[in-house]
Amino acid sequence: MSDTMIQMAQRARRCAEEIKKHKEVQLVSHIDADGISSAAIIARSMERAGIEYEMLFVKQLDENIVRKLANENPELVIFTDLGSGQIEHINNYGLHAVVADHHRPQGDLEMHLNPHLFGANGSFEISGSGTAFLLAEQLGSNRDLADLAIVGCIGDMQYRKYGKLVSLNREILDNNPDIITAKTDISLFGKQTRPVYKMLQYSSDPYLPGLTGNEDACIEFLRKIGFRCAEDERWRRWIDLTEEEKIKVTSSLLQYSVKNGLSSYSVNRLVSECYILLQESEGTEMRDASEYATLLNATGRYMKADIGMAVCMGNRGEAYEDSKKLLGEHRKNLVDGLNFVREKGVTQLSNLQYFDAGSSIPETIVGIVAGMSHASNNRHLPIVAFADKEDGHKVSARGTQELVNKGLNLSEAISQVCQEIGGAGGGHDIAAGATVPFGKKEEFIERLNELIARQITGRT
């Protein structure tokens, strides 16, 4: 066990001791896959410890929500996958809280479990769900929840920097080989559940030129390489293929992608380390960490995080069926969003590129579309997306590890611009978001462009 893991476990023990003093707690978490899996880890731990809980999912934690919580005066609030950016408000309103988060902290409090406090980076070393899992391990016998910890960090794209899980995430993975395992495989979505041609047709990350969105082209591509799409009147899924067939399809797809101008970055990501949940049934979304995370993201993005959490809690009936319907809608919206960006294009400034989706892309998924679109646009500039929401412009920004290595920190840049012009934002160095007031979009993008220039050139 690494020194960082030992130190975090010690802090987690202190937090767990405080939690055990209470018979009832309020749980608050984020609505994405990392937040939903984090909430489920703690909720299942609470059930096993005999502690009652109320659940609240939020898109973004702000002063208003902290104030409302304080007015309700719960015995204890446990924040997962958020809270570290609102320590000042939590303290000011006298909220008795435990925070298990992985975003860059702004302040500190006694019961605060966050990798940044121990010298680790929450962008790729451990996620919110991983941090929640460390807390759960101190609350009782909860090692079986390690698979949800990995689902959350995959949903948070913590593998992006090295193409696989490392550091504290890796320790969780390697310490639980009977619960979750890693294998190198094609990285397209749907290996467990979709016919192979559908897996190609609905590939949005990466976007496959000529194949994504075109069913006939996908079937023809497979026919040309001698692949049988069906057998015994049943469509064949990736998990039905022999190893030889998998190698043939993968190598043919790599050759096709290079020939059709897919960026080297996207080509390299077609094969990656994948994570199999051994406690889940083969042929279901929950068997593959990436599919599971996408399923959870679909529920959260459409304000149905409670359905995703029910699946995490073991509901394989109505909640699972509802989550699959939401997932179908989610994948369609992503493809529509990618097509919108491809048709409208992006605007390039000196140090960033951006697009304004207005009301054409739901603000809950515009960040995902931005990340996927980045691969087919200028990888040398971070990408920023705008979408309309009720209280202002939703901003989602995505960078690359190469840019971060040069000094880019989107979280710091966006936070500073919001402090100057109004709004609220933050996140990670490689991915961040904000809400800015109506009428401030142009000023925001100009100031952000200037700040990113300073970060990358090192000027002050």
Side-chain angles (χ1 to χ4, degrees):
M1 189 182 290
S2 67
D3 289 343
T4 305
M5 185 69 89
I6 291 169
Q7 291 171 4
M8 288 192 71
Q10 290 171 344
R11 177 66 64 88
R13 191 173 306 121
R14 285 170 50 196
C15 294
E17 287 168 358
E18 180 60 35
I19 293 169
K20 288 175 182 177
K21 294 175 185 176
H22 301 273
K23 294 181 180 178
E24 187 177 340
V25 298
Q26 173 72 61
L27 304 185
V28 182
S29 198
H30 194 216
I31 61 165
D32 63 3
D34 195 19
I36 294 169
S37 51
S38 299
I41 288 168
I42 298 303
R44 289 175 72 172
S45 302
M46 293 295 97
E47 289 182 355
R48 292 170 180 179
I51 300 172
E52 294 185 7
Y53 66 88
E54 290 286 332
M55 186 69 234
L56 173 65
F57 283 105
V58 297
K59 279 198 290 185
Q60 189 173 332
L61 187 63
D62 57 23
E63 183 178 0
N64 288 333
I65 294 172
V66 174
R67 185 192 302 116
K68 286 178 184 175
L69 286 167
N71 289 339
E72 291 166 7
N73 196 28
E75 282 186 38
L76 178 70
V77 182
I78 303 175
F79 293 98
T80 57
D81 194 37
L82 40 67
S84 291
Q86 298 292 332
I87 297 296
E88 182 182 353
H89 294 316
I90 291 170
N91 284 330
N92 287 346
Y93 285 98
L95 206 58
H96 186 34
V98 170
V99 175
D101 192 7
H102 69 125
H103 297 94
R104 191 169 294 280
Q106 295 177 13
D108 200 3
L109 76 168
E110 187 180 356
M111 299 298 164
H112 189 189
L113 183 63
N114 187 304
H116 291 276
L117 301 175
F118 305 95
N121 189 319
S123 295
F124 67 91
E125 293 190 74
I126 191 169
S127 65
S129 59
T131 306
F133 175 68
L134 299 189
L135 178 56
E137 282 197 299
Q138 300 301 322
L139 285 163
S141 180
N142 294 306
R143 193 174 70 85
D144 60 315
L145 304 180
D147 53 3
L148 287 176
I150 299 302
V151 169
C153 75
I154 295 301
D156 202 56
M157 297 186 290
Q158 300 238 329
Y159 55 87
R160 279 285 180 90
K161 182 170 183 176
Y162 294 104
K164 62 180 181 180
L165 297 181
V166 299
S167 188
L168 302 168
N169 286 322
R170 195 82 201 180
E171 287 190 59
I172 294 172
L173 177 72
D174 291 346
N175 289 341
N176 299 281
D178 55 328
I179 296 170
I180 188 157
T181 189
K183 64 176 290 188
T184 300
D185 203 348
I186 196 167
S187 58
L188 299 185
F189 178 88
K191 294 190 289 292
Q192 291 287 326
T193 55
R194 286 193 168 146
V196 175
Y197 79 90
K198 284 287 185 186
M199 199 172 76
L200 302 181
Q201 179 187 350
Y202 285 101
S203 175
S204 50
D205 186 19
Y207 190 96
L208 301 174
L211 295 179
T212 296
N214 190 331
E215 180 179 296
D216 292 341
C218 294
I219 293 173
E220 179 63 15
F221 167 79
L222 293 169
R223 188 193 65 76
K224 278 185 176 178
I225 64 172
F227 176 78
R228 290 176 292 110
C229 285
E231 188 172 64
D232 298 330
E233 298 184 352
R234 190 170 70 87
W235 293 113
R236 301 175 75 207
R237 301 162 300 176
W238 190 256
I239 57 171
D240 300 324
L241 274 54
T242 65
E243 288 304 313
E244 289 76 16
E245 286 177 310
K246 289 179 181 178
I247 290 169
K248 184 173 184 179
V249 173
T250 302
S251 61
S252 299
L253 188 59
L254 287 167
Q255 290 168 19
Y256 171 90
S257 299
V258 171
K259 184 179 175 182
N260 285 271
L262 197 66
S263 69
S264 59
Y265 169 80
S266 294
V267 170
N268 290 335
R269 287 178 50 237
L270 276 169
V271 175
S272 67
E273 192 172 77
C274 304
Y275 306 93
I276 307 300
L277 280 61
L278 301 174
Q279 298 179 114
E280 299 288 351
S281 300
E282 194 169 49
T284 67
E285 284 85 356
M286 289 78 67
R287 181 76 173 183
D288 180 280
S290 177
E291 291 192 50
Y292 201 158
T294 304
L295 188 79
L296 297 183
N297 266 327
T299 65
R301 301 293 175 184
Y302 301 96
M303 303 301 115
K304 302 284 186 181
D306 55 318
I307 293 176
M309 181 169 168
V311 173
C312 291
M313 301 295 281
N315 185 323
R316 297 295 185 267
E318 185 179 355
Y320 175 41
E321 291 305 315
D322 287 346
S323 68
K324 287 200 289 185
K325 290 175 188 173
L326 288 165
L327 177 59
E329 181 184 344
H330 181 58
R331 302 303 291 186
K332 180 183 181 301
N333 286 342
L334 288 180
V335 171
D336 289 347
L338 285 165
N339 287 335
F340 171 88
V341 177
R342 196 173 77 251
E343 289 166 12
K344 299 291 184 181
V346 300
T347 301
Q348 286 199 15
L349 301 182
S350 54
N351 295 284
L352 60 80
Q353 57 195 321
Y354 72 95
F355 66 89
D356 186 355
S359 58
S360 297
I361 300 175
E363 56 101 356
T364 52
I365 68 166
V366 73
I368 306 175
V369 173
M372 292 175 172
S373 300
H374 205 190
S376 55
N377 284 285
N378 188 344
R379 297 279 304 165
H380 301 295
L381 297 175
I383 191 166
V384 180
F386 291 98
D388 295 340
K389 54 186 295 195
E390 286 183 8
D391 58 342
H393 301 291
K394 164 79 174 184
V395 180
S396 291
R398 300 291 184 269
T400 65
Q401 194 55 47
E402 292 80 6
L403 287 166
V404 170
N405 292 343
K406 292 178 180 177
L408 177 72
N409 189 317
L410 289 171
S411 176
E412 289 183 1
I414 282 177
S415 295
Q416 185 173 331
V417 175
C418 286
Q419 286 172 8
E420 293 173 3
I421 70 166
H428 301 299
D429 49 12
I430 200 168
T435 300
V436 299
F438 288 121
K440 294 280 190 177
K441 188 167 51 183
E442 287 75 16
E443 187 179 355
F444 176 88
I445 207 75
E446 287 172 12
R447 292 290 299 118
L448 187 62
N449 189 51
E450 292 169 7
L451 271 176
I452 290 172
R454 291 184 205 162
Q455 286 183 342
I456 292 176
T457 61
R459 295 200 313 267
T460 56

